[in-house]
Amino acid sequence: MVFPTDENVIVGLDRADDAGVYRISDDLALIQTVDFFTPIVDDPYWFGQIAAANALSDVYAMGGVPKTAMNLVAFPIKEMDITILRRIIQGGVDKLSEAGVVLVGGHSIEDRELKYGLSVTGFVHPQRVLVKKNLREGDRLILTKPLGTGIVNTAVKAGMASAELTARVTNLMAALNRTAAEVMASFDVHACTDVTGFGLLGHLSEMVCGSGLGVRVFAGRVPMIPEALEYASMGLIPAGAYKNRDFREAMVAFAEPVERAHRDVLFDPQTSGGLLISSQGGQATELLEALKQNGVRDAVEIGEVIAGPEEKIWVI
Ligand code: CO
Ligand code: CO
């Protein structure tokens, strides 16, 4: 399908990036994104926070600053207590306030299945847009949140996770990528995306596709929720992880010592995951240090961009 475009579209549908970007003037561009889903945690207030953090994340992944948002609500008003919806929206609004974003509208419909999310609008300088497909040889890859939320959420649904683990992972999903985005804005970053449904290796595959370059990932360095690794070794893997693997396995080569459980967590679909940043090699150490100093304590350098194997990910 061919979609109409114009000369001010900086990132459009053809790029399949985290958000659309449209030039307003020589020093201002608009970022637009939308995301909504069914509840991923039981607590309505936390679900609202996570949905908002997740929707905002795509603006941060483009190197932008979110400014306004609108609610998207589908609610089974005949079967569900309206106070549940109020808690969800309160969670969303509180997360937006934390991000310095104002809610300016929204729309709700009656639906048999509850869904909530937001459309978010942000700003970026047209010369500072961070697309996902712009890896350069010698770049270092930094990931800002640990992996494993999909696996842990599966364990939560199966009643296997402790209250402490549930709370820890809920907090992780509700955490904004704001600080990470603000810190990387003063460094020479070439490409960025946020890790969500396709898992780390799925999103990395998107970055590598068409780059003519390769990527080396150090599996042992990739931050992972420890319990997610345990559950993965017990075979507790969400269906989405298998889908991600089947879709992208031709692009990924694992060194033999990389254990099965590690491989599964690398494909685990994330909700509101961290930023995956490709930074100019010489600045990566400094960027990592700045991230940690500003409170992004989980940030780790997980790999590097190399000349070859071309458009392949080598996990060692
Ligand atoms: Co995204
Ligand atoms: Co999105």
Side-chain angles (χ1 to χ4, degrees), residues 3-6 8-23 30 32 62 129 131:
F3 298 98
T5 185
D6 76 40
N8 289 315
V9 174
I10 299 173
V11 179
L13 262 177
D14 53 325
R15 304 278 286 269
D17 216 304
D18 292 301
V21 185
Y22 190 87
R23 185 187 298 103
L30 196 67
Q32 291 176 290
M62 300 307 288
V129 178
V131 295

Side-chain angles (χ1 to χ4, degrees), residues 237-316:
I237 317 279
Y242 292 116
K243 263 189 233 162
N244 289 340
R245 189 192 61 196
D246 292 347
F247 183 43
R248 291 298 190 184
E249 71 187 338
M251 289 188 65
V252 182
F254 290 99
E256 216 195 309
V258 180
E259 285 170 28
R260 179 86 258 163
H262 258 93
R263 300 180 190 201
D264 290 336
V265 177
L266 293 171
F267 276 118
D268 183 43
Q270 302 300 288
T271 299
S272 192
L275 295 184
L276 176 57
I277 303 167
S278 190
S279 155
Q280 190 256 331
Q283 289 200 352
T285 309
E286 223 184 310
L287 168 55
L288 194 60
E289 197 56 38
L291 285 168
K292 286 176 182 291
Q293 269 172 16
N294 286 280
V296 190
R297 284 179 209 91
D298 290 322
V300 176
E301 188 184 315
I302 61 157
E304 58 197 355
V305 179
I306 52 182
E310 215 174 285
E311 293 178 23
K312 286 256 156 56
I313 300 166
W314 179 235
V315 184
I316 60 170

